């Protein structure tokens, strides 16, 4: 598994929420300014090549759905962050968050 780009992740977040949909269904919840239909279609096809998404064909239309769960991706990203920034130590990561005053933990509770 590889990390997603910001645009890919935005589309995956939507697909995880709606569970399955056509490109127009993915575009609907996106914030303004919305990307072009063709842009979203291209990113979804890239996600399919990367193994995150699959589709069911209805003639020329495609209904897309995630094949990597949000939990699977979240676990991958957290492990990658632990390995890359905290020497694979959960204790070092929690200490970082505890010591960093710019991260006001009360606002995240």
């Amino acid at each position: 598994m590889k990390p997603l780009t910001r645009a890919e992740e935005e589309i995956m977040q939507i697909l995880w929420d709606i569970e399955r949909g056509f490109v127009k269904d993915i575009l609907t919840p996106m914030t303004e300014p919305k990307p072009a239909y063709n842009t979203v279609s291209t990113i979804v096809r890239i996600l399919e090549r990367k193994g995150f998404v699959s589709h069911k064909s209805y003639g020329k239309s495609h209904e897309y759905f995630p094949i990597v769960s949000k939990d699977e991706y979240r676990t991958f990203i957290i492990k990658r962050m632990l390995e890359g920034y905290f020497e694979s130590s959960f204790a070092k990561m929690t200490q970082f968050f505890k010591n960093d005053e710019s991260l006001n933990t009360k606002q995240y509770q």
Side-chain angles (χ1 to χ4, degrees), residues 4 13 22-23 25 29 51 73:
L4 299 172
Q13 291 287 353
F22 299 90
V23 172
D25 300 319
Y73 187 69

Side-chain angles (χ1 to χ4, degrees), residues 88-107:
S88 299
S89 169
F90 185 75
K92 286 183 180 182
M93 183 178 77
T94 55
Q95 190 64 41
F96 167 79
F97 286 111
K98 182 180 175 186
N99 293 340
D100 191 330
E101 294 182 18
S102 69
L103 299 169
N104 179 351
T105 56
K106 288 183 182 180
Q107 70 188 33

